[in-house]
Structures are given as structure tokens and as C-alpha cells.
Amino acid sequence: MKDKISVKPDTIYLEDLLNDIANGEYKIPIFQRDFVWKPSQMLELFDSILKGYPIGSLLFWDTKGYKTKDEIGPYLIQKESSSARYVLDGFQRISTLFGVLINPKEYTETSTVDLKDFSIYFDIKNNSFSHIRNRKDENVFSIPLYEIYDNRELFNFIRKLEKEDITEILKNEYIDNARNLHNILHKYRLPFVEIKGGDIKSAVEIFSRINSTGTDISEDFMLSALSYNQETGFYLSDSITAFLSSLNIYNFEDLKRGTIVDCISNAKGKIYFDVKMEDLLKNIDLQSVTNNAYKHVRKAVEFLYKKIFIVDIRLMPYPTQLIFISEYFRLNLEPTSEQYKALENWFWVTTYSNYFTLYSLSQQRSAYQVFCEFAKGEHHDGIYRVNSDTSFSTAKYPSKLNFTGVRPKALQLFYLKRIIDNNELQDKEGIKEIFIFNSLKKERPPANIILRLSSEFEKYQEKKQIKSFIETSSIKDLEKHFITQEMVDLYKQNKTEEFISKRESYLKLKEREFVEKMGISYVVVPEKSV
């Protein structure tokens, strides 16, 4: 059962927010990135406040247990509060406001950040803001914003200004400009949303829906704050980043971070969606479990790359397949060649049968249990069937070849299997799409696309052009690309429609033969009668 959660929108005076931050009532979780704003962004923030423009909503999370940073802007916040809330969205804005408006004379606990980075000045003549790092660039009409904000500092500034040799009219105008900004800063209200309770998953979901910056946050960053080990320096999100980078030899570096977390979750012996993120920290060494999970994920990726020929992560039909296969290698460290063949068959059946979209959550749990039995050699094919009469069928043949659906991906993988089977793939192998007829490029029908390996494409320079490839390749090589002698003749005669029609029929025929060997019904949509 999910922890009770509430989401409450509200507003807070800027003055109260800064006081609360100084008192340790708002904390920066360790998964937040460092302060990265440029002076231009800081200036724009204060210009928006001066003009009364909104500067976006803040997002706080009222929960406990996360490691936090002490630094906000150029200052260290070492006070603790029993009611501290975590800043999920708005850290850059909060750092700017706190760093610029807090009087450095009264706040001696500084961080490693240079105070000069927060030296924002207000020009009382022009009602404008500037970033001044060197004191020599200052003038009597520019005042640090903390002096505008601080009552005593503003009073002292006004007394100095009154001694300047300028007309009373201008003097009063400049003083009014300073006082106006002072009042705006103290009366400015910031909207915020506060999450109370809930778990990591719900906080991530809420963040992704309402954060103002468009920046995604993933579960592993939040989980990192809970699991950070100061002794070992283990930080989960950095670990995942490094691991994903190592998968680039298989073109899997863009694998979703959440998929990695799901693979780690399987260490609890339950299907990943039944494991709460917080549960990963109970009674286990997360660093050790994570490093073990990487070994299984790498084996899964290597299997998908070398045996299924997924040479690009975009060709992965279901992320769940990778999660299951990772679990397979956790339970079966050294599969036999026969077991590898059975795992390949499991992949193709689950791909062509829409396996992971057919079942309810409870049925997916059953499918997971059956798969675990399969990994241990206790089930013949790892396919869960609701009853003995359960039958599977394909989705209809795709009208376009792309990376946005399981069915087009299945056809491309079947194509790659035909041209690569029994061959060793090179590291970082890719695929090249070659269009036979440019006039059909936008429609992207499968019969108009030839898939070639990037290494093979670069090796045979003379066959890079489609005309040369079709007219000079052997029929044996062309057959691998579903091109017959009859099609070659049609191509030479520039009979586009006849060529596409023949090749589509041939593609369907060969795919059907492959699919029906697995006991899956091949769906054929009747052609419309003219």
C-alpha cells in the first residue's frame, strides 16, 4: 500500500523564505546538481521581481531520511530544524535569492563558492541590475542588492546619498527607486507546492509533472540521497552514469536509468514494480547489490546485441524484456548453448505476441515467476499462459518502419537476424537505412527500405549507392535483403509499384514462416478491393 500523500499549493513571502532557509527549515537533498546559473540568469530573476513578473513555482517535499547539502549560494547552512523540507525544484532560484540578498557582514559561514559570484547591484538611476565583481567598477549610484534588502544598510546608503552634490529632485527620485525595490523584495510572494508523505516514485512523478524548469529527475538520484555512503563514496546516480557509459560498445548507453534501477530491484526476489525504492535500503548492501546487478545487466545487453542483433537501444521492443533477461543471468550464471537458444526463442515469442501488453499486473507477476522457473531450468520455455488454450498472434504488419512501436521494431530485428545470423558483430555496430525509391521516403513503407550494417556499408564503397547495390550484388546476397531476381528486373525497369508490391509480399511470407514456427498466428489484413 502506498504511503499517504498530499499535495498542497501555497505562497510564501520572500522575506519569510530567506529567514526559514537561514534557520535550516529548507534543505537541499544531495541529489540536486550544483549551482550552475550564469550572471545573466540571476539578473533576469531580479528584473522579473522588480517588474512583478512570476518567477515560477517552488517544489518542496516534507519527508525525512535524505542526506543533504549544507551549501546554499555562497553560504553554509548548519542550523538544523525538526520540520525541514527538501527543495525538489527551485534550487537555482533559491540559491540566487539567498546568496544575493543575505548580508555577508552578518553571515560569516561561507562555502567554497566565491561571494563575488553573487555580487548583484542595483542602479538607482536607471532601475536596472548588473553583476559587478571588482570594487573599482562600483559608483555611488549602484548599490549591492543586500544593502537594498537590509533595513539598516539601506538607511546608511540614503544618508550617504543625501550628501551627494545632485539636485533634490534627482536625489528624491533615486531614493524612491531604492525604497520601491526594498518594498517589492519584502512584499514579494513566491508560489510553492508542498508534497507531504509519499514515496520516491510519487515524488518523482509529481516533480516531472509540475516542475518549472523542464528538468527531469529520476528515482536513482533521489535514491542516491538515501543511500550515500560517506566512507566508501558510493553514490548510486554517478555509478549508474558510469555504467551506462560503459555500454556504449553495444550502443546501449541511452538505456533508461529507471530500467537499471528496476534490474537492481529484482535483487529483492520480487518483480520490480512490487519493490518500493525505500525497500532497497533495508537489510542489504546497496553498493554490492548494484555492482552485482551491473554484471547481470551487462550479460543481458551482450546477449541482446550478439544473439538478437539489437544493435541500437532504439530497437529494444520492451524494457521489461531486458529486466527479465537480466534476472535470467542472476539466476543462471552460465547457461548452456541449449538454454541460450531457449532464451532467444523466449525473446522472439514475447516480442511478436505482444506478451507484455496482454496481461494484468497480477498476471505479469505470474509471468515473472514462470520466467524465474525457466531460468532455473524448471520450465520448458518461460512463457506464461493463462490456460492451456491460450494462443498468441502478431499485431498487423507495420505500414511504416520506425522506432516508435513494437511491431516495426520486431520486423527490423527479423530483418537483421536474416542478414547477420551466424556472423560476429563488431563493437558499436550500427545500421544504415537505405531507401530504394526516394519518392516513397516520407511514407517509409518497409518494402522501400534496405537495412545494412554500418561496417559492411563502409567496407564496400562501390555499393553505397542503391543502384549499384541492387544491380551488382549477387542474388544470394540480395535474397538476405528480401530481393529476388524478379524484383531486380522490376527495379531496372523503374517499375516502382510492382517492385514494392512484390517485396512487401516476400517480406510478409518470410516473416510469417518465422513467426508460425513459434506457434504464433500471423495476422494478415485483407487488401482493400478496388
Side-chain angles (χ1 to χ4, degrees):
M1 184 175 177
K2 275 194 173 184
D3 295 340
K4 188 175 180 182
I5 186 169
S6 66
V7 181
K8 177 187 174 186
D10 206 341
T11 61
I12 186 172
Y13 282 110
L14 173 57
E15 181 179 10
D16 292 337
L17 176 66
L18 298 184
N19 289 336
D20 289 347
I21 290 171
N23 290 324
E25 293 189 27
Y26 290 97
K27 291 292 187 181
I28 310 303
I30 203 168
F31 55 74
Q32 283 280 15
R33 61 180 178 164
D34 293 334
F35 184 77
V36 296
W37 263 20
K38 299 175 183 176
S40 60
Q41 292 170 292
M42 300 165 74
L43 296 174
E44 186 178 332
L45 180 75
F46 285 105
D47 187 60
S48 295
I49 291 174
L50 176 64
K51 293 174 179 175
Y53 296 164
I55 61 170
S57 178
L58 307 173
L59 180 61
F60 305 130
W61 190 18
D62 186 353
T63 189
K64 295 180 180 179
Y66 285 85
K67 304 289 185 196
T68 59
K69 298 179 180 181
D70 293 330
E71 297 182 357
I72 298 184
Y75 301 112
L76 289 178
I77 310 297
Q78 297 185 327
K79 288 187 178 181
E80 296 294 334
S81 171
S82 59
S83 59
R85 285 154 285 183
Y86 300 110
V87 178
L88 291 189
D89 185 33
F91 173 54
Q92 304 294 319
R93 283 165 287 161
I94 284 174
S95 294
T96 298
L97 294 168
F98 193 77
V100 171
L101 297 178
I102 291 299
N103 192 335
K105 300 169 189 173
E106 298 179 3
Y107 212 98
T108 56
E109 296 290 337
T110 58
S111 71
T112 55
V113 179
D114 194 339
L115 267 171
K116 291 179 181 178
D117 291 341
F118 291 83
S119 296
I120 304 296
Y121 283 67
F122 180 63
D123 188 320
I124 57 174
K125 291 172 65 176
N126 301 316
N127 264 337
S128 62
F129 301 93
S130 60
H131 182 245
I132 299 177
R133 288 183 61 88
N134 298 318
R135 303 288 294 186
K136 65 179 183 179
D137 295 327
E138 295 180 20
N139 62 71
V140 70
F141 301 111
S142 288
I143 175 173
L145 271 185
Y146 70 83
E147 292 187 14
I148 291 278
Y149 181 75
D150 187 289
N151 289 323
R152 184 177 296 176
E153 295 283 1
L154 180 60
F155 178 73
N156 291 336
F157 172 78
I158 291 174
R159 286 180 62 183
K160 283 195 296 183
L161 188 64
E162 287 175 342
K163 298 176 183 178
E164 292 295 318
D165 186 20
I166 53 176
T167 66
E168 281 299 311
I169 293 176
L170 286 176
K171 193 179 298 180
N172 290 334
E173 179 186 331
Y174 299 159
I175 291 173
D176 285 345
N177 287 343
R179 282 177 171 160
N180 178 55
L181 178 56
H182 173 88
N183 291 334
I184 287 173
L185 290 172
H186 281 271
K187 292 179 180 179
Y188 193 82
R189 296 179 75 95
L190 292 107
F192 70 88
V193 174
E194 183 174 281
I195 307 170
K196 284 193 176 183
D199 56 14
I200 291 176
K201 281 185 178 289
S202 55
V204 168
E205 183 179 357
I206 292 168
F207 176 91
S208 65
R209 291 190 184 190
I210 66 177
N211 85 89
S212 62
T213 61
T215 304
D216 288 334
I217 190 169
S218 58
E219 294 169 44
D220 64 281
F221 281 96
M222 302 184 79
L223 190 57
S224 291
L226 281 169
S227 64
Y228 181 66
N229 187 323
Q230 281 187 310
E231 292 182 7
T232 64
F234 177 69
Y235 191 55
L236 180 64
S237 62
D238 286 350
S239 172
I240 289 177
T241 298
F243 176 66
L244 288 173
S245 179
S246 75
L247 297 181
N248 70 338
I249 61 171
Y250 306 114
N251 299 318
F252 267 69
E253 65 269 29
D254 291 329
L255 181 64
K256 296 288 186 184
R257 303 177 71 90
T259 301
I260 300 293
V261 175
D262 290 337
C263 291
I264 296 170
S265 299
N266 280 339
K268 298 294 287 187
K270 296 189 291 186
I271 192 167
Y272 61 94
F273 55 71
D274 281 340
V275 179
K276 291 177 64 174
M277 294 300 99
E278 290 86 345
D279 290 344
L280 281 177
L281 303 173
K282 295 177 182 176
N283 306 317
I284 65 170
D285 176 355
L286 184 62
Q287 182 174 0
S288 175
V289 168
T290 297
N291 289 334
N292 282 331
Y294 291 158
K295 295 175 186 176
H296 312 138
V297 174
R298 179 175 289 277
K299 277 195 167 187
V301 169
E302 188 174 301
F303 166 79
L304 291 165
Y305 183 85
K306 293 184 175 180
K307 300 293 185 180
I308 307 297
F309 311 125
I310 298 181
V311 295
D312 188 313
I313 183 60
R314 295 178 299 167
L315 285 168
M316 190 73 212
Y318 297 102
T320 308
Q321 288 171 309
L322 190 149
I323 298 167
F324 273 49
I325 296 170
S326 167
E327 183 71 348
Y328 185 96
F329 289 111
R330 185 177 77 86
L331 298 171
N332 188 348
L333 294 175
E334 296 295 335
T336 64
S337 57
E338 290 78 11
Q339 287 172 323
Y340 267 114
K341 282 291 183 185
L343 186 57
E344 286 181 46
N345 188 72
W346 175 89
F347 174 86
W348 288 111
V349 171
T350 56
T351 297
Y352 271 105
S353 67
N354 307 303
Y355 190 72
F356 290 103
T357 57
L358 291 176
Y359 294 146
S360 64
L361 283 182
S362 62
Q363 290 171 332
Q364 286 188 46
R365 291 185 184 97
S366 299
Y368 172 74
Q369 292 303 321
V370 166
F371 183 79
C372 289
E373 292 170 13
F374 170 61
K376 297 172 187 176
E378 298 167 1
H379 193 278
H380 70 289
D381 65 0
I383 302 296
Y384 169 70
R385 294 171 175 81
V386 178
N387 54 61
S388 58
D389 296 329
T390 299
S391 60
F392 298 118
S393 59
T394 66
K396 68 178 183 179
Y397 184 84
S399 59
K400 294 183 178 182
L401 215 54
N402 52 37
F403 300 106
T404 59
V406 171
R407 188 64 178 88
K409 292 178 185 179
L411 180 57
Q412 290 176 84
L413 291 175
F414 167 65
Y415 192 137
L416 289 172
K417 178 177 174 59
R418 187 174 172 93
I419 61 174
I420 304 173
D421 223 355
N422 299 320
N423 291 323
E424 281 292 319
L425 283 174
Q426 299 182 18
D427 289 349
K428 291 189 69 64
E429 185 69 88
I431 53 174
K432 293 281 187 180
E433 278 188 346
I434 314 297
F435 292 92
I436 300 171
F437 300 104
N438 286 328
S439 59
L440 298 176
K441 223 173 184 179
K442 289 184 179 179
E443 288 79 7
R444 298 184 62 83
N448 189 47
I449 295 174
I450 287 176
L451 299 181
R452 296 178 68 186
L453 295 180
S454 55
S455 58
E456 180 260 351
F457 183 78
E458 294 300 326
K459 183 177 180 181
Y460 299 105
Q461 297 289 323
E462 71 280 5
K463 292 187 179 180
K464 278 191 173 184
Q465 297 297 323
I466 186 62
K467 180 174 171 44
S468 173
F469 178 75
I470 291 179
E471 294 186 355
T472 64
S473 296
S474 69
I475 289 300
K476 182 181 177 181
D477 287 340
L478 289 175
E479 277 275 2
K480 293 180 181 178
H481 292 273
F482 309 96
I483 296 174
T484 64
Q485 181 61 58
E486 181 183 10
M487 294 176 215
V488 173
D489 295 338
L490 290 170
Y491 176 82
K492 290 178 178 178
Q493 298 171 52
N494 202 30
K495 293 185 176 180
T496 305
E497 289 184 13
E498 292 93 328
F499 179 98
I500 294 298
S501 176
K502 291 286 184 184
R503 189 163 185 253
E504 181 172 305
S505 296
Y506 196 57
L507 268 165
K508 288 179 180 178
L509 172 66
K510 292 302 179 182
E511 188 184 40
R512 181 173 193 159
E513 290 173 356
F514 176 69
V515 167
E516 289 183 344
K517 283 181 181 177
M518 295 182 284
I520 299 173
S521 299
Y522 192 81
V523 173
V524 178
V525 179
E527 295 183 9
K528 295 179 180 178
S529 56
V530 181

